[in-house]
Amino acid sequence: MAPSFWGREARVGGMGNGGGTPVVVKMENPNWSISEVEPDVDPGSPAGLAAGKAGRGKNARQITWVLLLKAHRAAGRLTGAASAALAVAAAARRRVAAGRTDSDAAPGESTALRTRFYLLIRAFLLLSVLLLAVEVAAYFQGWHLQMPELPAGFSAEDGLVAIDGLFAAAYAGWMRVRLQYLAPPLQFLTNSCVVLFMIQSVDRLVLCLGCLWIKLKGIKPVPLAADKDDVEAGEGDFPMVLVQMPMCNEREVYQQSIGAICNLDWPRSNFLVQVLDDSDDATTSALIKEEVEKWQREGVHIVYRHRVIRDGYKAGNLKSAMNCSYVKDYEYVVIFDADFQPQADFLKRAMPHFKGKDDVGLVQARWSFVNNDENLLTRLQNINLCFHFEVEQQVNGTFLNFFGFNGTAGVWRIKALEDSGGWMERTTVEDMDIAVRAHLKGWKFLYLNDVECQCELPESYEAYRKQQHRWHSGPMQLFRLCFVDIIKSKIGFWKKCNLIFLFFLLRKLILPFYSFTLFCVILPMTMFVPEAELPAWVVCYVPVTMSIMSILPAPKSFPFIVPYLLFENTMSVTKFNAMVSGLFQLGSAYEWVVTKKSGRSSEGDLVALVEKHSAPQRVGSAPNLDALAKEESLPKKDAKKKQKHNRIYRKELALSFLLLTAAARSVLSAQGVHFYFLLFQGISFLVMGLDLIGEQVE
């Protein structure tokens, strides 16, 4: 309500003439809202005449009150921003005090390439700081980058040489070296990267146009089976399906994933579930085995397999399972990773696409994410993966009948696997390996954009970095191994060109190369060598346009378009490092680290998701409370307590300081767009370097 001094005289007439406009003040912490109340005044009365002359004026007290409320709101926002800044600073201080960096390698993890790469960036940073100090000193001496008042034929270096002093002579020599020796090759490298950037942008534009065409024409794979949901169909209409679940130390998600798969709507006599456990933790293995035995008692055909020696990681696990004698009784194999939980009708929606299409070797479903809004990191990942499935996979599947197998949520014809040579452990991307070999044998792939399988995204930056390293080093290993096979294969010429130039070179090699080189190396260098120019449209307009195109499949993520653009450039360091290690067969190219799961998809998130969708879904995969209780009763000495650990990433921090140094240098030459890009990109690297995005849980 209004304050006490807002008395009757203020409401009626105040100082004896026309009164102000009454207001209602709603004090709802932390915001205030003000609404005006129309005065009930007779137009013919003296007060009405005065109000007509003065309009809807406010008296001094009302204006003061409104200004105070607005000041309070502004102060509240400033306080919130200050609190957030203090929280971030405190988190950064804890990271630095802990001293835990990415140089603390896990057992068996190689750090040679990572150390060399960091030393190279650090040397570049030190050189940039030195150059910045020189340029600042020259700027205050009045030796600007350009001297328009000089006579014709008289260069800036000549003017500096005429000035007495060792520093002036040294700076003149630096300008001469910069102009004659550094600028030409840097400009050539800049132009080359810009050309690659534009080629990749055209590729992305073509993909988006292809996706738009698919949407407008309603193109999608149509199964030949008309009565796929006929409940009276005999078991002969349901082919024999083998379901494989490879897992390794994934204690948080195994229970609900096994439950979801065992509740697939398919005749139990026509499918077998293989739980392929590579866990080296005895407690986890015992829990998984107990869960399998529980479903065996329920009448589900499910077996538990455990390898003592984990040769070949996931590929070796799948290869070992396919060597079982009973596999010959099955025609198809479905693969689900440990955190994937398919809907009950998954097989009934996927299997009909094989009927009458003997040349179809793979049917791939789309991923959906139960934790896509958990934190900023998962939101940005969701943008990338939505574009990957909605655009890349759908367009390639529709027009080329080929795409990279995603490693899970896919159905393979076993004959296609055997014809392609089976699973191989030669790379860390066994899924892409088998897909390329099957494509070379002439098998076709189908992508189902309307069939989704739930999973979870990595919530920590550490887990996401390791995942991206594996995903970007493996393709380069594979390209080295299968290049000759692609050339010798019997597929068409244009399919060979698509595999070599688009699938491998452009999207797996050129993309991380120019992203890192152009925005993290060339752009800072052009600030210190201004004779080489990088146009503003390359720095700002084209990247923003590409980001808008990438975010279209996830329209709810539009508020995150700027963080997404900065995030992609920041991740280019990890992707470039992985690409180089895979291309040159360095030690880190063979690292395989299982992506850590948080288990969010195993409890309340699934319940909320089921309630959100009105379509009938499985109800038998709810958590087993008895098993959970038994798990809690296990000796605590065998269970490690979860602790939060965050690392400092030295490469990201070094690049952050490099970009911020270049931003300071750009101020001297008044390059507005370049300054803002370098400033915000440097801050983005700083956030990543201090591990302030996502949450690491061990």
Side-chain angles (χ1 to χ4, degrees), residues 9 14 65 127 154 239 250 306 377 413 483 590 601 610 626:
E9 63 278 5
W65 181 250
L127 178 61
F154 192 71
E250 290 167 296
H306 181 263
L377 179 61
R413 192 188 296 268
F483 177 75
Y590 298 96
S601 61
V610 170
D626 295 336

Side-chain angles (χ1 to χ4, degrees), residues 49-102:
L49 293 176
K53 294 179 180 179
R56 296 170 57 86
K58 294 180 173 64
N59 59 30
R61 290 184 177 179
Q62 291 170 327
I63 295 176
T64 303
W65 181 250
V66 171
L67 293 177
L68 286 174
L69 293 181
K70 291 184 177 181
H72 183 276
R73 178 182 295 178
R77 291 177 177 176
L78 289 176
T79 303
S83 300
L86 289 176
V88 171
R93 182 183 59 80
R94 290 195 299 270
R95 306 287 194 274
V96 176
R100 182 184 174 91
T101 68
D102 55 349

Side-chain angles (χ1 to χ4, degrees), residues 217-238:
K217 295 296 183 179
I219 303 174
K220 66 177 182 178
V222 179
L224 297 181
D227 300 327
K228 62 178 181 179
D229 293 326
D230 187 3
V231 295
E232 297 182 359
E235 292 187 359
D237 295 331
F238 296 92

